[in-house]
Amino acid sequence: MSMNRPVATALAAALCLLTAACGDSSDDDKASGTTTEAAASKTGYPVTLDNCGQKETVKKAPSRVVVMNGASVAEVSTLLALGLQDKIVANQQTYGMSEVAGRAAAIKKLPTGDVKLNDAYDIPREAMLGLRPDLVLSTTSYGFDEKNGFATREQLKEVGANSYVSPQGCDQDTSKMTIADSYTLLRDMGKIFNKNDEAEKLIVASEKNIAAVSDKVKGEKKPKVMVLFSNMTMGGNDFSSVVAKGIYNDILAKAGGSNAFENASKTSFADLSKEKVAATEIDALVVIGYNDPNPAAYAKKLLKEFPQWPAAKNSTYVALSDSMYLGPSNDLAVEKVAKMLHPAAF
């Protein structure tokens, strides 16, 4: 069962734009995160964040939140993890699946704002202003770019809305992203919504889980892993959604593995020929299902296509979705990948 092609292509285009996957990206690693400038009164407000070089002062807990698509579920999942679903008036993020029980269903239940989306499957300026948001979340600065037809951060400020670009999203280059950025996103949402304790609790639990897994696989041989999105085309070659850089590599490292294609591109994704893929020793496969109902079927098809891979001989693969991406559940990806790579350690 494969994805509807036009949808896959449009989503790939969105993902492509948002990860600087398909073209030059600036190496300028500026303003990857955010810092809290102002201490707050007893109410926890006002809170000032320095976000992509822009000061955002939040005067009270937002109650009309719009989550832009950005080919991500990081922002919506972070809000759900903090119990903030009631504050969302429009959410455009979905992976259709999740490693967290009940999360995909919870995302599906959220209002979408009944907006007619643009070609990038996101909310155009007029529709955005019509939603009367008090906070707009975007994975990267792409979602606030006027030339893409979006409301700018300035225009949102004029109607009383705060805006926020997630960590590493300032220059639309997510290739330097790590698990620490997921924690920054959680902390920042904790500050904005006065849920600091809840955010810290989630971070501590995640760190503890990852440390326990990393401890079990310490000193083991690091298998070479191919990470790719199932049934997705983002370039001219047969394999154009292969991960090269980004948070995925941090997850692999903590799970006792390494990315077979880390050096295949300077940006987040590599666009590879079938020959290059066939000639690479692949010990294991991580297939990410982005709105693909059956990434496991795609994984099996690949293993059949390349019987020479060590991964094919042992049928070593895992199908994941949101935990492999920026968001609050990276520890689940670390655990699942580690159990696939080093089953004897568990």
Side-chain angles (χ1 to χ4, degrees):
M1 196 166 145
S2 77
M3 277 169 76
N4 169 335
R5 228 52 223 133
V7 174
T9 311
L11 290 171
L15 194 68
C16 193
L17 290 162
L18 291 157
T19 53
C22 315
D24 296 336
S25 65
S26 83
D27 283 332
D28 185 8
D29 185 23
K30 56 184 178 292
S32 70
T34 28
T35 52
T36 306
E37 298 288 328
S41 65
K42 277 203 180 71
T43 63
Y45 297 97
V47 169
T48 301
L49 295 183
D50 180 4
N51 182 242
C52 294
Q54 184 161 318
K55 294 242 183 303
E56 287 289 329
T57 300
V58 182
K59 297 190 177 85
K60 62 182 202 314
S63 61
R64 294 189 62 81
V65 184
V66 175
V67 185
M68 297 186 78
N69 180 351
S72 175
V73 280
E75 293 72 25
V76 75
S77 300
T78 299
L79 295 179
L80 289 176
L82 290 169
L84 295 164
Q85 52 274 19
D86 298 349
K87 312 291 184 196
I88 300 170
V89 293
N91 169 57
Q92 289 303 330
Q93 295 187 339
T94 168
Y95 267 14
M97 60 207 313
S98 173
E99 274 70 73
V100 178
R103 179 165 291 156
I107 289 175
K108 207 173 179 173
K109 272 215 281 268
L110 293 170
T112 61
D114 297 322
V115 168
K116 188 177 184 314
L117 303 178
N118 63 13
D119 293 346
Y121 275 68
D122 225 328
I123 304 171
R125 181 190 301 112
E126 291 313 312
M128 175 64 79
L129 299 176
L131 288 166
R132 297 183 293 103
D134 55 10
L135 175 67
V136 180
L137 304 180
S138 178
T139 305
T140 75
S141 56
Y142 178 86
F144 298 124
D145 194 330
E146 197 157 24
K147 67 175 190 291
N148 303 326
F150 296 123
T152 64
R153 299 186 75 175
E154 213 37 65
Q155 287 162 345
L156 288 166
K157 201 169 262 178
E158 280 163 22
V159 296
N162 286 106
S163 54
Y164 178 89
V165 176
S166 288
Q168 300 295 347
C170 300
D171 58 4
Q172 296 177 45
D173 177 9
T174 57
S175 63
K176 298 177 184 75
M177 196 181 274
T178 66
I179 294 169
D181 292 309
S182 292
Y183 298 153
T184 298
L185 177 58
L186 260 172
R187 275 197 185 99
D188 285 345
M189 291 305 111
K191 286 164 192 162
I192 288 172
F193 289 94
N194 199 15
K195 293 252 185 190
N196 297 308
D197 294 352
E198 290 88 336
E200 288 308 321
K201 223 176 257 164
L202 290 168
I203 291 165
V204 167
S206 171
E207 285 177 328
K208 207 170 145 187
N209 196 3
I210 290 173
V213 171
S214 292
D215 213 39
K216 286 195 170 96
V217 301
K218 208 197 275 146
E220 298 282 341
K221 191 169 160 288
K222 291 181 171 41
K224 291 206 174 334
V225 186
M226 180 184 192
V227 183
L228 78 169
F229 284 78
S230 60
N231 291 311
M232 193 177 272
T233 311
M234 293 202 279
N237 284 296
D238 287 328
F239 291 90
S240 56
S241 66
V242 177
V243 166
K245 304 260 191 300
I247 194 167
Y248 322 91
N249 293 358
D250 192 15
I251 290 168
L252 290 179
K254 295 201 166 50
S258 66
N259 186 344
F261 295 103
E262 184 168 357
N263 298 318
S265 170
K266 284 193 171 75
T267 57
S268 304
F269 289 89
D271 186 8
L272 305 171
S273 67
K274 195 173 173 177
E275 291 70 31
K276 167 91 171 147
V277 167
T280 308
E281 283 268 294
I282 305 292
D283 299 313
L285 210 52
V286 174
V287 173
I288 304 172
Y290 178 89
N291 285 315
D292 179 355
N294 200 348
Y298 180 75
K300 286 183 186 133
K301 189 185 93 179
L302 274 190
L303 295 174
K304 216 176 185 161
E305 200 179 334
F306 300 101
Q308 72 278 21
W309 285 349
K313 295 183 174 75
N314 311 309
S315 192
T316 310
Y317 77 90
V318 66
L320 296 173
S321 58
D322 58 348
S323 64
M324 199 68 190
Y325 202 73
L326 183 72
S329 46
N330 297 149
D331 59 313
L332 300 182
V334 171
E335 198 177 325
K336 285 182 189 294
V337 173
K339 283 178 174 167
M340 165 186 69
L341 297 177
H342 305 287
F346 290 87

